[in-house]
Coordinates of all heavy atoms in Angstrom, one line a residue:
Chain E
H1336 N -193.1 78.3 -203.1 CA -192.0 79.3 -203.2 C -192.2 80.4 -202.2 O -193.3 80.6 -201.6 CB -191.8 79.7 -204.7 CG -192.9 80.5 -205.2 ND1 -192.7 81.5 -206.2 CD2 -194.2 80.5 -205.0 CE1 -193.9 82.0 -206.5 NE2 -194.8 81.4 -205.8
P1337 N -191.1 81.2 -202.0 CA -191.2 82.3 -201.0 C -192.4 83.2 -201.3 O -192.7 83.5 -202.4 CB -189.9 83.0 -201.1 CG -189.0 82.0 -201.6 CD -189.8 81.1 -202.5
N1338 N -193.1 83.6 -200.2 CA -194.3 84.5 -200.4 C -195.5 83.9 -201.0 O -196.4 84.6 -201.3 CB -193.9 85.7 -201.2 CG -193.4 86.9 -200.4 OD1 -194.1 87.2 -199.4 ND2 -192.3 87.4 -200.7
S1339 N -195.6 82.6 -201.1 CA -196.8 82.0 -201.7 C -197.9 81.9 -200.7 O -199.0 81.7 -201.0 CB -196.5 80.6 -202.3 OG -195.9 79.8 -201.3
G1340 N -197.5 82.0 -199.4 CA -198.5 82.0 -198.3 C -198.4 80.7 -197.5 O -199.3 80.3 -196.8
K1341 N -197.2 80.1 -197.5 CA -197.0 78.9 -196.7 C -197.3 79.1 -195.2 O -198.0 78.3 -194.6 CB -195.6 78.3 -196.8 CG -195.2 77.9 -198.2 CD -193.8 77.4 -198.3 CE -192.8 78.5 -197.9 NZ -192.9 79.7 -198.7
S1342 N -196.7 80.1 -194.7 CA -196.8 80.3 -193.2 C -198.3 80.7 -192.9 O -198.8 80.2 -191.8 CB -195.9 81.4 -192.7 OG -194.6 81.1 -193.0
S1343 N -198.9 81.4 -193.7 CA -200.3 81.7 -193.5 C -201.2 80.5 -193.5 O -202.0 80.3 -192.6 CB -200.9 82.7 -194.6 OG -200.0 83.8 -194.7
L1344 N -200.9 79.6 -194.4 CA -201.7 78.3 -194.4 C -201.3 77.5 -193.2 O -202.2 76.9 -192.6 CB -201.3 77.5 -195.7 CG -202.0 76.2 -195.9 CD1 -203.5 76.3 -196.0 CD2 -201.4 75.4 -197.0
T1354 N -194.9 84.0 -187.3 CA -194.6 85.2 -188.1 C -195.1 85.0 -189.5 O -195.1 84.0 -190.1 CB -193.1 85.3 -188.2 OG1 -192.5 84.1 -188.6 CG2 -192.5 85.8 -186.9
V1355 N -195.7 86.1 -190.0 CA -196.1 86.2 -191.4 C -195.4 87.3 -192.0 O -195.5 88.5 -191.7 CB -197.6 86.4 -191.5 CG1 -198.0 86.4 -193.0 CG2 -198.4 85.3 -190.8
G1356 N -194.5 87.0 -193.0 CA -193.6 88.0 -193.5 C -193.9 88.3 -195.0 O -194.8 87.7 -195.5
N1357 N -193.1 89.2 -195.6 CA -193.4 89.5 -196.9 C -192.2 89.5 -197.8 O -192.3 89.8 -199.0 CB -194.1 90.8 -197.0 CG -194.8 91.0 -198.3 OD1 -194.6 90.2 -199.2 ND2 -195.7 92.0 -198.4
W1358 N -191.0 89.3 -197.2 CA -189.9 89.3 -198.2 C -189.3 87.9 -198.3 O -189.3 87.2 -197.4 CB -188.9 90.4 -197.8 CG -187.7 90.0 -197.0 CD1 -186.6 89.2 -197.4 CD2 -187.4 90.4 -195.7 NE1 -185.7 89.1 -196.5 CE2 -186.2 89.8 -195.4 CE3 -188.1 91.1 -194.7 CZ2 -185.6 89.9 -194.1 CZ3 -187.5 91.3 -193.5 CH2 -186.3 90.7 -193.2
G1360 N -188.0 84.5 -198.3 CA -187.2 83.7 -197.4 C -187.3 84.1 -195.9 O -186.4 83.8 -195.1
V1361 N -188.5 84.6 -195.5 CA -188.6 85.0 -194.1 C -188.7 83.8 -193.2 O -188.4 83.9 -192.1 CB -189.7 86.0 -193.9 CG1 -191.1 85.3 -193.9 CG2 -189.5 86.8 -192.7
T1362 N -189.3 82.7 -193.8 CA -189.4 81.5 -193.0 C -188.1 80.8 -192.8 O -187.7 80.1 -193.7 CB -190.4 80.5 -193.6 OG1 -191.5 81.2 -194.0 CG2 -190.8 79.4 -192.7
D1381 N -193.8 73.5 -191.8 CA -193.7 74.6 -192.8 C -192.3 74.7 -193.2 O -191.4 75.2 -192.5 CB -194.2 75.9 -192.0 CG -194.1 77.1 -192.8 OD1 -194.1 77.0 -194.1 OD2 -194.1 78.2 -192.2
N1441 N -203.4 79.2 -204.1 CA -203.7 80.3 -203.1 C -203.8 81.7 -203.8 O -203.5 81.8 -205.0 CB -202.5 80.3 -202.1 CG -202.9 81.3 -200.9 OD1 -204.0 81.5 -200.6 ND2 -201.8 81.8 -200.3
K1442 N -204.1 82.7 -203.1 CA -204.2 84.1 -203.6 C -205.1 84.2 -204.8 O -204.8 85.0 -205.7 CB -202.8 84.6 -204.0 CG -201.8 84.6 -202.8 CD -200.7 85.5 -203.0 CE -199.7 85.5 -201.8 NZ -198.6 86.4 -201.9
M1443 N -206.2 83.5 -204.7 CA -207.2 83.6 -205.8 C -207.8 85.0 -205.8 O -208.3 85.5 -206.8 CB -208.3 82.5 -205.7 CG -207.8 81.1 -206.1 SD -207.0 81.1 -207.7 CE -208.4 81.4 -208.8
D1444 N -207.9 85.6 -204.6 CA -208.4 87.0 -204.6 C -207.5 88.0 -205.4 O -208.0 88.8 -206.1 CB -208.5 87.5 -203.1 CG -207.2 87.3 -202.3 OD1 -206.5 86.3 -202.5 OD2 -206.9 88.2 -201.6
V1445 N -206.2 87.7 -205.3 CA -205.3 88.6 -206.0 C -205.4 88.3 -207.5 O -205.5 89.2 -208.3 CB -203.8 88.4 -205.6 CG1 -202.9 89.3 -206.3 CG2 -203.7 88.5 -204.1
G1469 N -208.2 78.6 -203.6 CA -208.6 79.3 -202.4 C -207.8 80.5 -202.1 O -207.1 81.0 -203.0
S1470 N -208.0 81.0 -200.9 CA -207.3 82.2 -200.5 C -207.2 82.1 -199.0 O -208.2 82.1 -198.3 CB -208.1 83.5 -200.9 OG -207.7 84.5 -200.0
V1471 N -206.0 81.9 -198.5 CA -205.8 81.7 -197.1 C -206.2 83.0 -196.3 O -206.8 82.9 -195.3 CB -204.3 81.4 -196.8 CG1 -204.1 81.2 -195.3 CG2 -203.8 80.2 -197.5
K1472 N -205.9 84.1 -197.0 CA -206.2 85.4 -196.3 C -207.7 85.5 -196.0 O -208.1 86.0 -194.9 CB -205.7 86.5 -197.2 CG -205.6 87.8 -196.4 CD -205.0 88.9 -197.4 CE -204.5 90.1 -196.6 NZ -203.8 91.0 -197.5
N1473 N -208.5 85.1 -196.9 CA -210.0 85.1 -196.7 C -210.5 83.8 -196.1 O -211.8 83.7 -196.1 CB -210.7 85.5 -198.0 CG -210.2 86.8 -198.6 OD1 -209.6 87.6 -197.9 ND2 -210.3 87.0 -199.9
D1693 N -193.8 93.5 -194.2 CA -195.1 93.1 -194.7 C -195.6 93.9 -195.9 O -196.2 93.4 -196.8 CB -196.1 93.1 -193.6 CG -196.0 91.8 -192.7 OD1 -195.0 91.1 -192.9 OD2 -196.8 91.6 -191.8
H1817 N -198.3 95.0 -200.2 CA -199.5 94.5 -199.5 C -199.8 95.5 -198.4 O -198.8 96.1 -197.8 CB -199.1 93.2 -198.8 CG -199.2 92.0 -199.8 ND1 -200.3 91.4 -200.2 CD2 -198.1 91.3 -200.3 CE1 -200.0 90.4 -201.0 NE2 -198.7 90.3 -201.0
N1823 N -201.3 90.4 -187.8 CA -200.1 89.8 -188.1 C -198.9 90.5 -187.5 O -198.0 89.9 -187.0 CB -199.8 89.8 -189.7 CG -200.5 88.5 -190.3 OD1 -200.8 87.6 -189.6 ND2 -200.7 88.6 -191.6
Ligands
GDP616 N1 -204.2 88.7 -200.9 C1 -203.7 87.6 -200.3 N2 -202.6 87.7 -199.7 C2 -202.1 86.5 -199.1 C3 -202.8 85.3 -199.2 N3 -202.1 84.4 -198.5 C4 -201.0 85.0 -198.0 N4 -201.0 86.3 -198.4 C5 -200.0 87.3 -198.0 O1 -198.8 87.0 -198.7 C6 -197.7 87.3 -197.9 C7 -196.8 86.1 -197.7 O2 -197.4 85.2 -196.9 P1 -196.6 84.1 -196.0 O3 -197.6 83.2 -195.4 O4 -195.6 84.8 -195.1 O5 -195.8 83.4 -197.2 P2 -194.5 82.4 -197.1 O6 -193.3 83.1 -197.4 O7 -194.8 81.4 -198.2 O8 -194.5 81.7 -195.7 C8 -198.2 87.9 -196.6 O9 -198.2 89.3 -196.6 C9 -199.7 87.3 -196.5 O10 -200.5 88.2 -195.8 C10 -204.0 85.3 -199.9 O11 -204.7 84.3 -200.1 N5 -204.4 86.5 -200.5

Side-chain angles (χ1 to χ4, degrees):
Chain E
H1336 65 152
N1338 265 311
S1339 54
K1341 294 178 302 301
S1342 302
S1343 309
L1344 178 66
T1354 49
V1355 181
N1357 201 348
W1358 95 71
V1361 79
T1362 312
D1381 177 20
N1441 189 30
K1442 299 203 183 181
M1443 288 307 292
D1444 55 319
V1445 182
S1470 157
V1471 182
K1472 200 174 192 172
N1473 304 336
D1693 282 5
H1817 282 282
N1823 275 343

